[in-house]
Amino acid sequence: GENVEQHPSTLSVQEGDSAVIKCTYSDSASNYFPWYKQELGKRPQLIIDIRSNVGEKKDQRIAVTLNKTAKHFSLHITETQPEDSAVYFCAATPGSGYSTLTFGKGTMLLVSP
Amino acid sequence: GAGVSQSPRYKVTKRGQDVALRCDPISGHVSLYWYRQALGQGPEFLTYFNYEAQQDKSGLPNDRFSAERPEGSISTLTIQRTEQRDSAMYRCASSPMGEEQFFGPGTRLTVL
């Protein structure tokens, strides 16, 4: 089955800096890669996603890149703000027509004012 | 519109009791997923449905766990003869038709 590795497990940045979180996946058939933000005590919220026919997608301060050859994808947050502090999860579908998600272990992002 | 809802939000039960966790998906969403999330970890897949049909139950830990979605809307995850290791946050998500999944608030299950 699919295996998703996520790094780093924790990331501390100063407000205004950029943050990058990286994930790798194992199943070359995977074709959908969402990112979720989970604040303490809240539900995971979908913030951005990318499909395998696209190499990059941007939405305001967040962007995601995908390298299918290397089987890795990354989340980029620019001009970080304290409210970006949360746990971020990457995920991948296992492919083969399945839509279930395999999640990474998460990255705790702390943005200091 | 209303998001995914789950009930109860918290459930405390004694070991050996059965529990039923309910998920009410976003209206019109075809796919419904159950996940279990341990503290500090990502959600772990349990099972999912398209309409009323259970498509994959490979993530259910053992035969004490079962799920149904008889009318293609509300779903129930049932855990029989609960054990302490079943304690976790159980999350439901729904999707219009695969891919984008929207999560519910979860049910925090504690087995004493």
Side-chain angles (χ1 to χ4, degrees):
Chain A
E2 176 69 278
N3 183 50
V4 176
E5 300 284 339
Q6 183 172 347
H7 301 279
S9 56
T10 59
L11 179 59
S12 294
V13 299
Q14 291 291 121
E15 183 177 2
D17 288 349
S18 295
V20 180
I21 302 170
K22 299 181 179 182
C23 290
T24 60
Y25 61 98
S26 61
D27 189 341
S28 57
S30 288
N31 55 16
Y32 175 66
F33 308 91
W35 286 88
Y36 285 82
K37 175 184 181 182
Q38 187 172 24
E39 296 177 66
L40 190 63
K42 302 288 181 65
R43 71 187 77 186
Q45 289 196 307
L46 178 66
I47 56 171
I48 195 168
D49 56 16
I50 192 167
R51 290 168 177 79
S52 59
N53 58 345
V54 177
E56 183 174 359
K57 183 176 179 181
K58 192 172 182 179
D59 183 4
Q60 300 184 341
R61 296 187 298 107
I62 61 173
V64 57
T65 59
L66 171 65
N67 183 327
K68 285 215 71 180
T69 303
K71 291 190 283 188
H72 68 70
F73 56 113
S74 300
L75 178 71
H76 304 253
I77 306 174
T78 59
E79 301 171 26
T80 53
Q81 301 167 3
E83 52 264 39
D84 295 328
S85 297
V87 179
Y88 292 79
F89 293 100
C90 63
T93 55
S96 303
Y98 284 92
S99 61
T100 61
L101 293 175
T102 299
F103 284 83
K105 292 187 182 301
T107 296
M108 180 176 290
L109 174 64
L110 178 61
V111 181
S112 303
Chain B
V4 179
S5 61
Q6 293 184 245
S7 61
R9 295 291 308 279
Y10 302 91
K11 177 69 177 178
V12 180
T13 191
K14 292 184 178 180
R15 187 179 54 184
Q17 297 294 305
D18 298 350
V19 296
L21 312 180
R22 172 182 165 135
C23 172
D24 203 338
I26 293 172
S27 178
H29 277 196
V30 169
S31 304
L32 185 149
Y33 308 81
W34 284 100
Y35 293 88
R36 183 165 65 177
Q37 186 175 20
L39 200 61
Q41 301 292 317
E44 178 186 5
F45 167 75
L46 296 177
T47 185
Y48 91 98
F49 297 81
N50 282 340
Y51 300 103
E52 72 282 359
Q54 192 169 22
Q55 300 293 315
D56 184 349
K57 56 181 181 179
S58 63
L60 297 176
N62 51 61
D63 59 9
R64 295 187 296 105
F65 288 72
S66 63
E68 63 175 8
R69 193 187 185 198
E71 298 179 1
S73 180
I74 294 168
S75 177
T76 303
L77 176 70
T78 301
I79 309 173
Q80 296 179 310
R81 305 180 302 281
T82 52
E83 301 177 4
Q84 287 186 326
R85 59 178 172 156
D86 299 334
S87 297
M89 175 71 82
Y90 289 84
R91 293 198 187 274
C92 170
S94 72
S95 174
M97 176 59 95
E99 295 196 342
E100 298 152 326
Q101 295 183 24
F102 300 92
F103 280 84
T107 295
R108 169 72 66 188
L109 174 66
T110 302
V111 182
L112 302 177

